Amino acid sequence: MTESISNWKELSREEVFSKYGRGVEKRVYLLPQGGEAIFYLNKGHDSVACLALTKNQEVILAKQFRPGPAEVLLEMPGGGSRSGEDLQTAIERELLEETGYRGKSEYVGSILPSAYATYRKNVFVVIDCEKVADPKLEDNGELIEPKLLTLGEFREHLRSGRMTDVELGYLALDYLKLL
């Protein structure tokens, strides 16, 4: 028995909600066996995050409140790109703004955050980081405190699942052959 799975035909698309660059989109698809299926998808802009390492191989994380889980988490520095800004410039700016560190950045890859999202999450590694400034956060409610962990502590933190970019952390460690 041979089956062939192909893309479904999109029948309609409607923005249900949009604010601050995020939203929800309703899409209706024609199913291959007949009938229709309705999906509500998370919309947003592509984002960037990085595994930033000091010259002493310490991992630089951002300690901040996250509204989804409603608690303070230790996360990889990152955010969104500004209009016309390429991803590498965005991660270098985000790292500097959130932590005050700068280093050599390299693109690792991207992931799909879920089967029900329309954007991608991009990951970089930034090595040989040095503190060059104090964090300079935008005036949009961002309150972030830089935190340094050893590689061992970072691996434990990834295994705990207590951050939003666990998969990006593993991709970056693999890229650096540090798993």
Side-chain angles (χ1 to χ4, degrees):
M1 178 171 145
T2 303
E3 290 188 40
S4 177
I5 297 178
S6 61
N7 291 344
W8 298 346
K9 180 180 180 185
E10 184 179 311
L11 298 176
S12 66
R13 177 186 299 213
E14 171 189 352
E15 189 171 82
V16 176
F17 172 80
S18 180
K19 191 167 189 174
Y20 305 122
R22 296 180 177 95
V24 176
E25 184 175 81
K26 175 184 175 184
R27 289 191 193 172
V28 180
Y29 289 93
L30 176 64
L31 297 173
Q33 67 272 31
E36 296 177 359
I38 299 172
F39 294 92
Y40 291 88
L41 308 176
N42 292 324
K43 281 185 56 175
H45 50 78
D46 286 359
S47 63
V48 293
C50 69
L51 175 60
L53 292 169
T54 67
K55 291 183 177 193
N56 295 327
Q57 296 294 291
E58 294 170 299
V59 179
I60 306 161
L61 295 178
K63 184 177 181 179
Q64 59 187 318
F65 176 79
R66 304 311 266 164
E71 60 186 279
V72 174
L73 299 177
L74 284 177
E75 304 215 285
M76 294 174 19
S81 60
R82 294 180 176 157
S83 180
E85 185 178 51
D86 64 68
L87 295 176
Q88 186 156 1
T89 302
I91 196 55
E92 290 169 357
R93 176 186 48 76
E94 287 285 345
L95 178 63
L96 183 62
E97 285 176 0
E98 293 183 359
T99 69
Y101 282 84
R102 181 176 284 142
K104 299 176 208 151
S105 62
E106 295 178 42
Y107 182 72
V108 173
S110 68
I111 60 118
L112 300 167
S114 85
Y116 302 96
T118 65
Y119 57 93
R120 298 188 72 86
K121 293 168 88 175
N122 297 276
V123 66
F124 287 78
V125 295
V126 185
I127 58 170
D128 296 331
C129 290
E130 292 182 295
K131 181 98 170 171
V132 296
D134 288 327
K136 185 179 178 187
L137 302 172
E138 296 178 9
D139 189 23
N140 64 359
E142 273 190 323
L143 297 170
I144 299 173
E145 177 184 310
K147 176 97 171 144
L148 299 179
L149 298 182
T150 67
L151 277 167
E153 290 169 334
F154 179 65
R155 285 188 202 96
E156 284 180 34
H157 186 57
L158 282 175
R159 285 191 292 274
S160 78
R162 306 244 337 112
M163 61 187 289
T164 59
D165 291 326
V166 170
E167 66 278 57
L168 298 180
Y170 279 112
L171 281 174
L173 285 174
D174 183 57
Y175 180 83
L176 293 171
K177 308 217 181 310
L178 293 173
L179 275 180

